[in-house]
Every structure is written in structure tokens, then in C-alpha cells.
Amino acid sequence: MSTEKSKKSPSAFRTISEVAEKLDLPAHVLRFWETKFSQVRPIKRGGGRRYYRPEDVELIRHIRSLLYDEGYTIKGVQKLMREGNLKKSHLTPSSSDIGSLEPNNLKSEIQDAIDELRALRAEINSHR
């Protein structure tokens, strides 16, 4: 299934393990940050399973950069977020993400999502 995960479209939701792997963070750190940063709010489904939207991933990437690369403390990042002093350039989608949302690529994105759902259905059916 790891090859299927790598085929996800940029607009697809991500699990906590996918986000943790992508951002090189332990999953427990992501759960901890949810308690410290009210802006980090993944969607929670049955059994408490977390699903992160692309904008959640970008926000977490920015928080990670502030904490690990720029040396801010958690309280310092909380203050930046509270005061609205975040560098918006870090939170804007990359040109490749924007390109994937253009109308010309919409059909391709929908087809990718359908293919991903079919692969998931096949995997679920194989476990029955």
C-alpha cells in the first residue's frame, strides 16, 4: 500500500502517520501540538482516527520550522499565532500545489481520487 500512498493527490487528506513521515516528526509530537496550538485541528473520524487537510500539513510544517529551524519556543510560536505575525509566505501553497488545482487539472485530480478509492476498496475487500 505504500506505493498507493505516494500516489495521493496534493489535495488528499493525510493520516497522522503520513504527516509524521512527511515532516520527519513522531506522531506523538503531532498529537501534543494539537494540545498547544488550537489552529491545528485535524478531522477526527471513528475511533479517533485523525485526517489532516493540506492546509493543516502546511501549518504544521510552519510550526515545525519555527520551533526546530528558527529556535522559537512553543510559547513564542503561540504568541506569533495569537498576534497574527506568522510569515504568510510559509503557509501559501507551492506553485505545484496551485497548478494541481487549476481547472485543466481538475479532471485528473478527480480521476486520481477515484483510483485511490478503488485501491482502498480492493484492499478492504481483501481483508474480509
Side-chain angles (χ1 to χ4, degrees):
M1 178 149 170
S2 62
T3 57
E4 292 166 8
K5 287 181 184 177
S6 64
K7 292 182 184 178
K8 279 190 173 182
S9 72
S11 60
F13 284 32
R14 304 286 192 264
T15 64
I16 193 167
S17 60
E18 290 171 320
V19 175
E21 182 178 328
K22 182 175 185 172
L23 299 180
D24 193 27
L25 289 167
H28 72 269
V29 170
L30 294 171
R31 288 189 293 273
F32 174 71
W33 285 356
E34 286 177 38
T35 67
K36 296 297 179 183
F37 304 106
S38 61
Q39 298 85 348
V40 177
R41 290 181 303 232
I43 294 172
K44 292 185 183 173
R45 296 289 184 211
R49 212 165 144 82
R50 292 164 168 81
Y51 292 96
Y52 293 85
R53 297 171 291 262
E55 56 269 21
D56 295 326
V57 177
E58 287 307 310
L59 176 61
I60 294 166
R61 181 189 321 271
H62 186 59
I63 290 170
R64 182 191 188 288
S65 175
L66 290 170
L67 292 171
Y68 294 0
D69 301 332
E70 298 184 33
Y72 280 87
T73 63
I74 287 178
K75 286 189 179 202
V77 175
Q78 288 170 331
K79 183 178 178 185
L80 284 175
M81 295 177 98
R82 194 172 41 251
E83 294 173 354
N85 291 333
L86 288 177
K87 297 175 187 170
K88 294 295 181 187
S89 62
H90 287 105
L91 297 176
T92 56
S94 68
S95 58
S96 63
D97 290 343
I98 291 170
S100 70
L101 300 176
E102 293 295 323
N104 295 340
N105 292 327
L106 185 58
K107 186 175 181 180
S108 173
E109 291 293 320
I110 291 170
Q111 188 59 51
D112 289 346
I114 290 169
D115 293 343
E116 184 177 336
L117 289 170
R118 285 184 177 142
L120 289 170
R121 180 191 302 157
E123 183 169 339
I124 289 169
N125 288 338
S126 73
H127 293 290
R128 289 184 178 179

